[in-house]
Amino acid sequence: MKANFYSLGAAEEVTGSRHVIEIDGESYLIDCGTFQGSRAEADRKNREFSIEADRIEGTILTHGHLDHCGLLPLLAKKGYRGNIYATPASRDIASLIMMDSARIQARDAEYLRKQAKKNGEKFDWTPLYTEQDAIAASGQTVGISYNRPMRIGDGITLEFHDAGHILGSAMADITIKRGGQELRILATGDLGRKNKPIIRDPVVPETAPDYIVLESTYGNRLHGKTEDAVEKLAVIAKRAVENRGKIIIPSFAIERTQELVYYFHLLVDDGVIPEIPIYVDSPMATNATTIFQVHPECYDEETNNAFIKHHKNPFGFNSLRFTTSVEESKSLNDLKGPLIIISADGMCEAGRVQHHLIHGIENPNNTILIVGYMAENTLGRRIRNRESEVKIHGMWLKLKAQVEVINAFSAHADYAEAAEWLNALDTSRLKGILMVHGEKKSQAAFRKYLEEQGYGNVEIVKYGKTYELTR
Ligand SMILES: [Zn+2]
């Protein structure tokens, strides 16, 4: 039996995940994510949607991050009327993310139109899709829980396994049965890590795959241990109590924010730190936290033991506040420490976190805690680099606050963790590893590492190139 595989995104790069399995002329799409990066390039790539929507038989969504779900509304807009399979939690997170993306695009269009008018320039940029398209994509999404094999086409079965990456994240285990033969493809989506809070560890599926579509984001990196990170979090919190300082944490709204809330809650519950007011200052994070609350089927045993058994909500406790209005957000500037503000965006390039930084960055009693990736040329990166002065909203401000960095909260497996997962799999049938979702340097290092581990059949997937999968 033969099938074809090709990638229309996340080939030798990390965003815009879009992979296609083609069998007897039927196409199945795995993820349909947005390209992120410099504005003009990302916009061009997102508009080059080189697959005909009416040729897709079914779509599988591995998780709700924008670079995996962000172009599903465009797919719907282009006429795709088929099912989008996702876990129930991914469906909810993706709905939130797609809607947010539609709103941001509408806002951008409005802003750019005004700017162009002011400058007497021609303006013809339109959003990729609207809120209605995002709603349509949500409406086409069919929830399939973990470990519930479902027939999604003629002789084609899909089963989701825990990927341990974010709430609802799944590996797609696809079995194609045709003409008395069986071809098994396991797509990792984004492969998570063991011991992440809230969610379960990545599962090692029992089915022996013929091919693995493997992500490679951290193919050349090792992360620190989560335990050490929590200890550091406690030290920083205690120092804020002593100095009556503020801890400002730039964070994206989904997963990292809920993890931080969870850890602080645990540290308070265990008596390691005193109760400190925590303000989650991002409407998106507030909505995302609601989604976390309604999906206990995704929680791991520790979360169940620490909270659910005692009828406690891991994402809401006495000293936690969700600010929604702009006035409430501004009023945080007048409060005295100790307090913790978790606010978006994660790279400090926009959003409410910038106001908190303007008011807090020049005070040496305050701490700016970096918990996520800071891309080059962002305010977050300049703070991370501890530059002595930074510009926010056109003002030069002295960076006097302490800057702390915790790397261990990563949601992606590092190369050793990914190899450990791979080594635990039944690879008796394995014919090839198709490497996707990684930058060139990281992929080259990862392939070399896997070769040393005895995997001689690793392909670094090239954009648009077709790979034949046989059994
Ligand atoms: Zn992801």
Side-chain angles (χ1 to χ4, degrees), residues 62-68 165-166 169 189-191 215 411-412 437:
T62 60
H63 66 288
H65 274 153
L66 185 72
D67 62 329
H68 291 257
H165 172 61
I166 64 164
S169 66
D190 284 353
L191 185 61
E215 76 121 324
H412 292 267
H437 203 287

Side-chain angles (χ1 to χ4, degrees), residues 239-240 243-246 359-368 398-403:
R239 195 175 62 209
N243 298 348
R244 303 185 65 79
K246 291 181 184 177
H359 288 91
I361 203 165
E362 296 199 310
N363 184 342
N365 290 330
N366 293 342
T367 302
I368 301 164
K398 291 206 161 52
L399 174 50
K400 289 187 185 162
Q402 315 234 17
V403 178

